[in-house]
Amino acid sequence: MDSRSINLRGFAGSAGKNIMQGIGGFVFGNETSESREDSYVERSLDRISNGTIPDDRRSAMTELLSVVGESRSAQMSFGAMGFPVLLNVLKEDREDVELVRGALETLVGALTPIEASQGPKTEVQPASMNSDLLSRETENISLLLSLLTEEDFYVRYYTIQLLTALLTNSLKRLQEAILLIPRGITVLMDMLMDREVIRNEALLLLTYLTRDAEEIQKIVVFEGAFDKIFSIIAEEGYSDGGVVVQDCLELLNNLIRNNASNQMLLKETMGFDPLISILKIRRGSAFNFTQQKTVNLLGALHTVELLLMGAPPGEPSKDTSKITNQTALAKKNILDYLLLLGVESQWAPVALRCTALRCIGGLVLRNPQNLESLASKQVGEESHLQPALNAILVIILRTSIAQEFVAADYVFKCFCEKNPNGQALLASTIAPHPNQGPATHGASSDMPFGSILLQALVSSDVNGDMEACCRAASVLTHVIKDNLQCKDRVLQIQLETPTPSLGRTEPLLHRIVTCLSVAALTEGENEQSHQSEESYIQPVILRLLIIWLADCANAVDCLLESAVHLNYIIELASNKRYTGCVRGLAAVVLGVCVLNNASREKGRDAFAVADAISQKIGLTTYFMRFDELRKSFLHLPSGQQHHKQLSRSSANSMSDFQEIEEEETNKGEQHPVLSEIFDSQFVSFISKLETDIRENVMDLFSRTKTATAVLPAELEQKNGEVDGEYIKRLKSFVERQCNEMQDLLGRNAILAEDLVRTGGGSTSDSSERSSSGRERVQIEALRQELEGAARRNEVLKTEKAQIEAEASNQRNIAVKLESDLKSLAVAYNSLEQANYRLDAELKTLKQGGSAPYPDVEAIKAQAKEEAEKESEVELNDLLVCLGQEQTKVEKLSGRLAELGEDVDTLLQGIGDDAALPDDDDDDEEEDDDDEK
């Protein structure tokens, strides 16, 4: 007894008790003295700690258990002073099994919350505080795990319960502690092979322990968890089993959730056959879906979903893991069981059908083999077989439960994503059926997929069934998404007008816009009668228009063939009686008509659409519609019901999916279908479109129209005006117009950019934006002037270089001409000298005799005349050349003077060298005269 004797009063009077009493006073009221329960707890603990008679100690333990299990204040007092006493009992009194049982049961009671009959709900729970105190020391957890090896059944049972209570209140701390204890998880796994009651409690414990704990998950799998889990499931009867099967599946899902290595280990060790066995049901087993069986099947389907999701997002092995699991599950013919649960078993609970449909979508997503398998599947009885895709389409059109429509629609979304061949296959069947008349309604089993879809699209004309029309529009969206060929093919479909007697047809796209207008009228009637179940119809049809018009100029041109369509979309975007979601989506449709508009026809081109937006909505209001759309996306419900972790509490809430859907419909303004239809992928697509639309609209308003409507009178040539003056006046007019146009375009671009960036903000800062705009205009004008001056400077530099080169060339020509003139003067002097010599010889001959000689004077005169003529011609040519060169030199000198060059310096020394030969010639002539 000495080893377990504790000075309880000293412990109770310590600072620890004072702290707990202070907390108790804060929580339960300002008590100045210990309550009756506190005194009772203290006396019981004293008897347990210091008692010598075993029966008295056991009796005290029983009394302590009774008061702790019923009183919150007793739990608080026990937490202040009881843990050391009972933990010492667990250490030192193992031989007293009854006392150990009582200690464990008392600890469980101290950790079990007690609902307060009165008081605030936010008060601190003593059970949570006690859990925190007990789990602080790893030694305490190790002590509890050691008790699991005891032979006594109740010791093991209460220990498991105690550990489960600790996990409920202190999960992270207990997970860390168990990882530090050698063979801690191994001991817990051994409990799965214990008696049924302990095994079931161990399943719950492991389920808590493996949540979001990857290291513990790996160890549990290494200890053979998969084999033990499926053994228990088989022993319990698969889906027909009780809540134990549900716990096993929850533990299984914890082990494979976002864990690719554990998924691969499950596939390689156990395979997927045990999982398929859970999903097997008998065809036609109506009224056999009990609530527990439904929950068990939901757990198995959730396991399939986790396998089809693969590794966590962002990991490189995600796609590989996903495709591997898809292929392995398909080899086990899981598609047949999923079709039986989701499509053929219309008597099955709604939650089960919806989850099975989602599993079908995940199974075929971007998997060519599984896509081909689904496209070829037939469902139904032997005498009434129909393609699986047709049956799923019929579910979409006929179900009265929105969640089932969303789940079936998800199948087509997955089937068409990155599957152009599948889209083309479905689009090729879209055509009016020969047996389909305007009075018929309802899909026939022999009708092809496209005819069923087309009949639903025009059903609003037959009986006003906008629900079916809207759902068919959602399916058509998937068929044509990101596939230009399918968009063009569907665009060619012609339908009879609602009044066939007129003998006209209209494109399917025009009929879709008509359905949109009918939906608006229907919604108005519902608003008057306070109904809101069709509030998602217009957004879904608008989504179809956005997907169809995106990157498809032919569809945009077809839509704008009638001005009524554009005016109606503008009405949707501007009228405040529609929701922000509808107005925003209508604004996106208008933007796509601007963005993908290739028409050059007046009134249907991009500028005409943008101008209509500006005139009838206003750019500020128009861009505000995008902000409203973003806000409506943020306010959508989470829409992640099918991604919740399946536990005992959530499974029971999912047993009646229809009730949940009805409650969510009545919660807010937005229909829950919108949260599923407008997923993150579509929201990202809209965000990208918004950016492109803003830039395109800004660019359109920064450019002018391509045609001029009125010819200004100034461009007409006046009477008597010569061509030169007319051309000069035209140049002046064009230059003035260009300057004004550049100024206007610059201002328009700045204003458009400011409008796009601000998105039509409040008017309080309008003056600030105006002044900022003027400053930007002035800066832009100064920048353009600076660029113009720089360009003119470059032109002047180029002209200067050209003039300098021309001047140098002219100087060279002048030097050459002067050299030629000098040579001509030398030749003339030589001719004169020859003439003088001949005259001298003639005189000598005359003096020497009287014989008749030729008339020398005549010959001389003739020769001189010919020489003078020849010399005169050459001199005239030379003078003409010199005159031309002199004119060029004068012009170049003037231009150089304008450029600031010193002309005299450039011409200095040019004439000096040329004058020297003339002086020599004059000297020679003087010498000749002297000789004569």
Side-chain angles (χ1 to χ4, degrees):
M1 285 295 177
D2 294 337
S3 60
R4 63 172 181 264
S5 296
I6 298 176
N7 188 352
L8 185 60
R9 294 190 181 276
F11 178 80
S14 64
K17 180 180 178 183
N18 293 334
I19 293 173
M20 293 299 291
Q21 286 179 347
I23 296 175
F26 173 75
V27 176
F28 302 106
N30 296 322
E31 298 181 359
T32 58
S33 61
E34 292 182 344
S35 64
R36 183 175 59 85
E37 289 85 356
D38 295 344
S39 300
Y40 194 81
V41 169
E42 185 176 353
R43 289 195 301 269
S44 298
L45 289 172
D46 184 66
R47 291 169 58 193
I48 295 171
S49 175
N50 299 320
T52 58
I53 302 175
D55 289 340
D56 183 62
R57 296 180 67 202
R58 296 178 193 127
S59 176
M61 185 70 74
T62 303
E63 294 172 0
L64 179 64
L65 170 62
S66 175
V67 69
V68 168
E70 297 177 356
S71 172
R72 291 162 61 90
S73 60
Q75 285 184 336
M76 181 69 71
S77 299
F78 177 83
M81 51 186 148
F83 283 116
V85 176
L86 296 194
L87 289 175
N88 191 69
V89 170
L90 297 179
K91 290 179 183 177
E92 305 296 336
D93 294 293
R94 293 280 185 98
E95 67 280 359
D96 193 342
V97 176
E98 187 175 349
L99 187 63
V100 171
R101 290 179 188 173
L104 289 171
E105 196 171 359
T106 302
L107 288 172
V108 172
L111 270 59
T112 302
I114 299 176
E115 294 296 332
S117 58
Q118 57 184 352
K121 296 183 179 180
T122 58
E123 62 186 13
V124 179
Q125 282 281 0
S128 299
M129 298 177 61
N130 292 341
S131 299
D132 183 72
L133 288 172
L134 183 58
S135 61
R136 284 183 179 178
E137 299 294 334
T138 307
E139 295 179 358
N140 297 339
I141 309 302
S142 179
L143 173 63
L144 295 178
L145 290 177
S146 66
L147 292 173
L148 293 175
T149 60
E150 293 291 324
E151 294 183 359
D152 186 74
F153 168 78
Y154 287 101
V155 169
R156 300 196 306 275
Y157 177 72
Y158 290 133
T159 301
I160 287 286
Q161 282 193 328
L162 181 58
L163 289 171
T164 303
L166 280 174
L167 280 171
T168 304
N169 299 314
S170 304
L171 177 61
K172 294 296 182 183
R173 183 175 291 176
L174 195 60
Q175 287 175 334
E176 295 171 359
I178 290 180
L179 281 174
L180 296 176
I181 299 173
R183 298 191 74 254
I185 296 178
T186 303
V187 173
L188 294 176
M189 290 297 297
D190 291 340
M191 294 296 100
L192 293 179
M193 308 306 295
D194 208 321
R195 294 169 61 177
E196 183 177 347
V197 176
I198 295 180
R199 180 200 69 185
N200 297 344
E201 292 294 329
L203 274 175
L204 281 177
L205 176 63
L206 288 171
T207 300
Y208 283 112
L209 193 63
T210 53
R211 286 180 182 173
D212 302 321
E214 187 175 356
E215 293 299 323
I216 295 179
Q217 292 171 3
K218 291 180 179 179
I219 298 174
V220 169
V221 171
F222 182 76
E223 293 290 339
F226 291 144
D227 186 26
K228 294 176 182 178
I229 287 173
F230 284 113
S231 296
I232 296 173
I233 291 175
E235 181 181 342
E236 292 291 324
Y238 294 105
S239 63
D240 293 323
V243 71
V244 176
V245 174
Q246 176 184 345
D247 294 335
C248 287
L249 290 171
E250 185 176 353
L251 175 58
L252 174 64
N253 293 339
N254 286 347
L255 296 177
I256 65 173
R257 182 177 289 108
N258 294 331
N259 196 319
S261 60
N262 285 354
Q263 292 178 11
M264 181 178 64
L265 193 61
L266 171 63
K267 179 171 65 70
E268 293 179 351
T269 56
M270 299 295 299
F272 294 145
D273 288 320
L275 179 61
I276 302 298
S277 299
I278 303 175
L279 296 174
K280 288 182 179 179
I281 61 173
R282 297 190 310 274
R283 185 182 297 272
S285 55
F287 309 109
N288 194 28
F289 287 94
T290 63
Q291 180 173 351
Q292 187 57 56
K293 181 172 183 176
T294 300
V295 172
N296 292 342
L297 288 172
L298 283 173
L301 290 174
H302 189 51
T303 304
V304 175
E305 280 188 305
L306 292 174
L307 292 172
L308 294 175
M309 290 165 61
E315 285 194 8
S317 60
K318 177 176 177 59
D319 292 338
T320 303
S321 173
K322 180 178 179 180
I323 294 175
T324 301
N325 292 340
Q326 283 177 327
T327 305
L329 288 169
K331 289 181 179 178
K332 301 299 180 180
N333 296 322
I334 193 174
L335 183 57
D336 294 334
Y337 302 109
L338 294 177
L339 288 172
L340 182 59
L341 283 171
V343 180
E344 299 183 68
S345 301
Q346 290 303 303
W347 58 86
V350 178
L352 198 60
R353 302 201 304 266
C354 292
T355 309
L357 287 170
R358 290 193 173 277
C359 289
I360 293 173
L363 183 68
V364 302
L365 180 62
R366 300 188 183 185
N367 190 303
Q369 294 179 349
N370 293 353
L371 286 169
E372 185 177 352
S373 177
L374 177 60
S376 60
K377 283 291 181 182
Q378 301 278 328
V379 297
E381 300 294 337
E382 291 294 335
S383 58
H384 300 286
L385 288 176
Q386 62 175 329
L389 291 177
N390 289 25
I392 297 174
L393 177 60
V394 171
I395 291 175
I396 290 176
L397 300 178
R398 293 181 176 178
T399 182
S400 60
I401 303 169
Q403 292 292 350
E404 187 172 18
F405 152 58
V406 171
D409 184 77
Y410 179 74
V411 176
F412 282 102
K413 176 185 176 183
C414 296
F415 180 83
C416 295
E417 186 170 333
K418 304 297 182 182
N419 183 23
N421 294 332
Q423 289 175 301
L425 176 65
L426 297 180
S428 64
T429 64
I430 301 179
H433 194 264
N435 298 329
Q436 177 183 342
T440 61
H441 180 62
S444 174
S445 59
D446 61 342
M447 290 176 61
F449 172 89
S451 297
I452 300 175
L453 183 66
L454 194 59
Q455 179 175 290
L457 284 171
V458 300
S459 59
S460 61
D461 299 331
V462 180
N463 56 4
D465 188 0
M466 291 307 305
E467 189 89 12
C469 176
C470 161
R471 296 178 178 185
S474 181
V475 176
L476 182 60
T477 302
H478 303 311
V479 173
I480 65 175
K481 183 180 179 183
D482 298 328
N483 193 318
L484 187 58
Q485 288 76 17
C486 288
K487 291 180 181 180
D488 288 334
R489 183 184 185 93
V490 178
L491 197 63
Q492 303 302 320
I493 297 175
Q494 297 289 323
L495 302 174
E496 291 185 358
T497 57
T499 55
S501 59
L502 298 178
R504 293 182 300 179
T505 61
E506 63 176 348
L508 176 60
L509 181 60
H510 290 189
R511 184 66 62 86
I512 296 296
V513 180
T514 303
C515 294
L516 184 62
S517 63
V518 174
L521 296 175
T522 306
E523 183 177 346
E525 295 174 358
N526 290 335
E527 288 179 356
Q528 295 176 1
S529 59
H530 304 287
Q531 297 177 355
S532 61
E533 64 270 13
E534 298 196 15
S535 59
Y536 69 94
I537 292 178
Q538 281 184 292
V540 171
I541 297 177
L542 286 169
R543 182 186 69 151
L544 169 61
L545 292 178
I546 292 171
I547 297 298
W548 200 341
L549 300 176
D551 300 322
C552 186
N554 293 335
V556 172
D557 188 63
C558 179
L559 178 68
L560 298 177
E561 283 181 358
S562 174
V564 176
H565 297 157
L566 179 62
N567 292 333
Y568 175 67
I569 302 297
I570 290 176
E571 168 68 15
L572 281 181
S574 58
N575 198 322
K576 292 185 178 181
R577 79 181 181 91
Y578 301 112
T579 64
C581 181
V582 171
R583 293 197 301 266
L585 291 173
V588 176
V589 173
L590 293 173
V592 175
C593 289
V594 175
L595 190 63
N596 300 307
N597 195 315
S599 175
R600 297 184 180 275
E601 186 176 344
K602 183 179 179 181
R604 289 165 56 180
D605 59 349
F607 192 90
V609 178
D611 188 58
I613 295 173
S614 177
Q615 295 294 330
K616 298 181 180 180
I617 302 178
L619 290 181
T620 301
T621 305
Y622 174 71
F623 287 122
M624 286 178 63
R625 296 296 179 252
F626 292 101
D627 299 332
E628 294 177 0
L629 182 60
R630 282 195 301 271
K631 291 178 182 178
S632 68
F633 286 155
L634 293 176
H635 294 159
L636 287 174
S638 62
Q640 299 299 319
Q641 176 75 22
H642 55 279
H643 293 307
K644 287 184 178 180
Q645 296 184 11
L646 193 64
S647 60
R648 288 191 178 187
S649 58
S650 63
N652 292 331
S653 67
M654 292 180 66
S655 60
D656 194 342
F657 222 150
Q658 188 170 3
E659 292 181 2
I660 296 174
E661 187 264 336
E662 291 175 354
E663 290 177 2
E664 291 180 350
T665 303
N666 297 327
K667 279 183 181 178
E669 297 180 357
Q670 299 285 6
H671 199 283
V673 171
L674 296 180
S675 62
E676 302 284 355
I677 296 297
F678 296 151
D679 54 7
S680 59
Q681 185 179 3
F682 181 74
V683 172
S684 300
F685 174 70
I686 291 295
S687 299
K688 181 180 181 302
L689 271 182
E690 177 188 349
T691 302
D692 296 339
I693 289 169
R694 288 179 181 268
E695 294 178 355
N696 196 271
V697 170
M698 183 183 68
D699 182 64
L700 275 177
F701 281 95
S702 299
R703 292 186 283 108
T704 186
K705 294 183 179 180
T706 57
T708 303
V710 180
L711 187 66
E714 298 182 42
L715 298 182
E716 298 292 340
Q717 188 172 7
K718 300 178 181 179
N719 293 331
E721 186 179 20
V722 297
D723 292 342
E725 294 178 356
Y726 177 58
I727 293 173
K728 184 177 180 180
R729 186 166 59 82
L730 286 180
K731 288 182 179 179
S732 175
F733 174 79
V734 171
E735 184 177 357
R736 185 171 66 256
Q737 291 293 320
C738 287
N739 292 334
E740 293 178 0
M741 187 182 300
Q742 290 298 326
D743 182 62
L744 290 175
L745 289 178
R747 292 173 182 267
N748 199 6
I750 293 172
L751 293 175
E753 181 180 0
D754 181 66
L755 177 63
V756 170
R757 289 180 178 175
T758 58
S762 62
T763 58
S764 61
D765 58 344
S766 60
S767 60
E768 180 181 351
R769 292 202 307 271
S770 177
S771 61
S772 176
R774 286 194 296 268
E775 291 176 358
R776 285 199 294 269
V777 170
Q778 294 174 358
I779 293 173
E780 179 68 15
L782 291 175
R783 184 184 64 80
Q784 292 180 358
E785 290 180 3
L786 181 60
E787 291 179 354
R791 287 194 296 269
R792 288 194 297 272
N793 189 23
E794 293 295 330
V795 172
L796 291 175
K797 287 182 179 180
T798 303
E799 290 181 356
K800 177 183 176 183
Q802 293 176 352
I803 291 172
E804 289 178 351
E806 184 70 18
S808 176
N809 185 33
Q810 295 299 329
R811 285 197 296 270
N812 295 333
I813 294 174
V815 171
K816 181 177 179 301
L817 291 174
E818 290 171 357
S819 176
D820 294 340
L821 183 58
K822 181 179 178 181
S823 300
L824 184 60
V826 171
Y828 180 77
N829 291 333
S830 299
L831 182 60
E832 287 292 331
Q833 290 176 3
N835 187 25
Y836 288 133
R837 188 178 65 253
L838 290 174
D839 286 341
E841 291 178 356
L842 180 59
K843 290 178 180 179
T844 304
L845 291 173
K846 286 182 178 181
Q847 294 175 359
S850 58
Y853 291 97
D855 189 354
V856 177
E857 290 295 336
I859 294 173
K860 178 180 177 183
Q862 183 179 0
K864 183 176 180 180
E865 183 180 356
E866 292 177 357
E868 287 178 352
K869 288 181 179 180
E870 182 178 355
S871 177
E872 185 179 358
V873 172
E874 293 179 356
L875 283 174
N876 289 335
D877 294 340
L878 181 59
L879 289 175
V880 170
C881 293
L882 287 175
Q884 293 176 348
E885 296 303 323
Q886 183 63 29
T887 302
K888 293 181 179 179
V889 170
E890 289 176 356
K891 290 183 179 179
L892 294 174
S893 298
R895 187 58 176 165
L896 289 172
E898 291 177 1
L899 297 174
E901 296 290 342
D902 191 352
V903 181
D904 296 335
T905 303
L906 293 173
L907 299 178
Q908 187 176 2
I910 294 179
D912 296 342
D913 296 337
L916 292 176
D918 294 338
D919 295 340
D920 294 339
D921 294 341
D922 294 341
D923 294 339
E924 291 179 358
E925 290 178 358
E926 291 177 357
D927 292 340
D928 293 337
D929 293 337
D930 292 338
E931 290 178 358
K932 292 179 180 180

